[in-house]
Amino acid sequence: MPEPIEDFYAVIPAGGIGSRLWPLSRADAPKFLHDLTGSGQTLLRDTWDRLEPLAGPDRIAVVTGRAHRAAVEGELPGIPDLNVFLESEPRDSTAAIGLAAAVLLRREPDVIIGSFAADHVIRVSHLFDWAVRQAVATARAGYICTIGIQPSEPSVGFGYIRKGSELVVDGAPEAALVDSFVEKPDLDTAKKYFADRSYLWNAGMFITRADVLLGEIAANEPALHAGLMELAEAWDDRERRGPVVDRVWPELKKIAIDYAVAEPAAARGRLAVIPGHFDWDDVGDFASLAKLNSHGRKNDLAILGENARVLSDAASGIVVSQTSRVISLIGVRDIVVVDTDDALLVTTSEHAQRVKGVVDALKLNGRGDVL
C-alpha cells in the first residue's frame, strides 16, 4: 500500500439531512449515518475507510452539527477530539470547509486539504486513490482542484464540469483547467454531454492548499472570511471557543462552495480538474439508491432493512423497511416504498426527486416531529 500523503489533511463535511431520502433520512439520523448499500457500515464509515490510506488516521477531520457529535464519534471511535469541528447550526459548505481550512492552516501553515462528502458512494478505491494523489500534486502547484467524474450514462441528476485545456503538472498527467460549470441538464443535453468526453459530473470534491482556499474566500466573500479567521484564532482555546462560536457562527453567510470559490476561481483560470474513473454516486434520491443496491435483490426489486418482510410478484423498484410489517407488492414497476414506525412513503423512481417537496410541505404544516 502507498504511504499516506505527508502534507495532506482530509476533511469530511457531514451535514444535511438528505431530504430526498425522507422518511429514512431525518434530522436526527441523516443519510451519512445509514448503511444504504448493504456494506454493513454507514456511508460515513465507508468515507473514512476510503480516506485513511491517503491521509492516515490522525489527519482526517469531520465537520458536523453539535447534535450529531455522539453518533459521529461512535462511528469513528479513533478520531482525535481536535479533529471534530462542531457547527452550532448549518451554514452551508463554504463555512464548513472554510472553518476546517482556517483552523488547520493555523496548526500547519503549508497544509493541503481535501473535502469529501460523508454521504457519497465510491467504488474501485485504487482509482479514487490515484485521482486524489493527482489532485494533491495539482494543489501543490497553486491551483484549487476538483475531481470530476467521467459519466457512465447521460444523467440529468448531476451538475457538470466542462474540462478545458490540459495542464502540465508533475504527478498529475490528467490535470486540466476547468472551463465552466453547467447546471443539471435536460435529457437531450445530457446525451450530448455524455458523447463529449470533456464534460464530467460535478462531485463536489475540492483539494487545495488551505491558504489558497481562504484567499479565494477573502476575495469573493470578505465578511465570511473575516468570521472564519476570528473563529480559527479562538478555536484551539477551549475557554474562548464557545463564546466566539456562539457569536460569530450564526452570522456567517450561507453559500455553497461552488458559488463562493469554485466558479470565481474557474473564471480566473485557477481551478483545475482531475477526471475520476471510479464508480461514484451521491445517493441523491431513492431512484439512485435502487440502482446502487445489489443486495437482497429479487426479481429486480431492491430490498433494504435487516428485518424486512417483503413479498413480491412481478414487481420492481426498491423497498426500505424499518418495521416488521409485511409488505406485499404485486404487478407494480419502479415502485419506491419506505416504511418507518411513524411515516410511510410510496412513490415511483420517476418521481423520486419530488420527495423533497413532501419535506417542505411538512415543515410548512408544522410537522417537524416526523422530520
Side-chain angles (χ1 to χ4, degrees):
M1 291 288 292
E3 290 294 315
I5 306 167
E6 288 187 3
D7 54 351
F8 179 62
Y9 228 104
V11 177
I12 305 175
I17 65 170
S19 56
R20 290 183 179 86
L21 290 176
W22 180 89
L24 177 65
S25 183
R26 308 199 186 190
D28 61 349
K31 70 175 181 176
F32 62 84
L33 292 175
H34 291 274
D35 173 10
L36 297 184
T37 63
S39 70
Q41 56 187 25
T42 63
L43 297 183
L44 173 62
R45 184 69 214 193
D46 285 342
T47 304
W48 174 281
D49 289 349
R50 228 173 8 251
L51 293 171
E52 188 173 1
L54 290 159
D58 296 327
R59 294 175 66 84
I60 304 176
V62 177
V63 186
T64 194
R66 288 174 176 173
H68 300 134
R69 178 175 187 168
V72 166
E73 292 181 343
E75 286 295 315
L76 310 174
I79 189 170
D81 183 65
L82 81 168
N83 287 349
V84 179
F85 296 85
L86 298 177
E87 302 173 306
S88 57
E89 59 183 83
R91 304 309 294 174
D92 220 318
S93 55
T94 305
I97 298 166
L99 172 65
V103 174
L104 294 173
L105 181 65
R106 288 181 65 87
R107 296 177 185 171
E108 190 175 322
D110 297 322
V111 70
I112 292 172
I113 67 165
S115 171
F116 307 91
D119 53 7
H120 291 182
V121 172
I122 291 174
R123 298 189 174 114
V124 195
S125 58
H126 70 280
L127 294 179
F128 171 76
D129 185 289
W130 171 229
V132 173
R133 290 178 185 273
Q134 288 190 76
V136 170
T138 307
R140 288 197 190 105
Y143 293 93
I144 296 173
C145 191
T146 187
I147 297 174
I149 310 303
Q150 200 72 59
S152 58
E153 61 181 351
S155 174
V156 300
F158 304 130
Y160 285 74
I161 298 168
R162 186 180 182 186
K163 186 172 60 174
S165 57
E166 295 182 358
L167 291 171
V168 179
V169 177
D170 288 343
E174 296 179 281
L177 287 174
V178 171
D179 181 75
S180 60
F181 286 85
V182 184
E183 296 297 330
K184 296 176 182 179
D186 59 30
L187 183 57
D188 288 341
T189 304
K191 289 178 179 178
K192 294 176 183 177
Y193 291 169
F194 183 62
D196 183 344
R197 303 293 286 177
S198 64
Y199 285 90
L200 307 169
W201 287 335
N202 180 9
M205 303 179 200
F206 295 98
I207 299 90
T208 176
R209 283 185 0 218
D211 61 336
V212 171
L213 176 70
L214 292 165
E216 196 69 38
I217 297 173
N220 304 315
E221 299 290 342
L224 175 54
H225 176 266
L228 293 172
M229 293 300 99
E230 187 174 358
L231 288 166
E233 184 180 358
W235 195 264
D236 286 333
D237 185 330
R238 289 185 176 274
E239 293 186 2
R240 293 180 59 207
R241 182 198 301 176
V244 173
V245 170
D246 290 342
R247 175 173 54 83
V248 175
W249 187 262
E251 300 301 318
L252 296 181
K253 181 177 180 179
K254 281 187 176 183
I255 185 170
I257 197 167
D258 289 59
Y259 304 126
V261 174
E263 292 186 2
R268 288 197 286 270
R270 301 308 303 161
L271 184 70
V273 63
I274 302 295
H277 304 288
F278 45 86
D279 292 339
W280 168 88
D281 200 291
D282 68 349
V283 203
D285 59 29
F286 286 108
S288 63
L289 184 57
K291 289 181 182 178
L292 281 170
N293 194 275
S294 60
H295 299 277
R297 187 173 293 278
K298 179 181 179 182
N299 297 329
D300 297 320
L301 184 70
I303 300 171
L304 283 177
E306 290 184 6
N307 300 310
R309 302 169 70 190
V310 179
L311 302 174
S312 67
D313 180 4
S316 67
I318 184 169
V319 175
V320 183
S321 175
Q322 293 186 325
T323 75
S324 60
R325 246 188 305 270
V326 174
I327 299 171
S328 182
L329 304 175
I330 302 171
V332 289
R333 308 300 299 173
D334 297 324
I335 193 78
V336 173
V337 177
V338 185
D339 186 29
T340 71
D341 287 334
D342 60 355
L344 171 68
L345 170 72
V346 180
T347 184
T348 63
S349 295
E350 180 183 359
H351 298 290
Q353 287 271 322
R354 296 172 62 182
V355 172
K356 186 178 185 298
V358 176
V359 174
D360 294 339
L362 289 168
K363 289 178 182 176
L364 288 173
N365 292 329
R367 291 303 310 270
D369 58 309
V370 293
L371 298 178

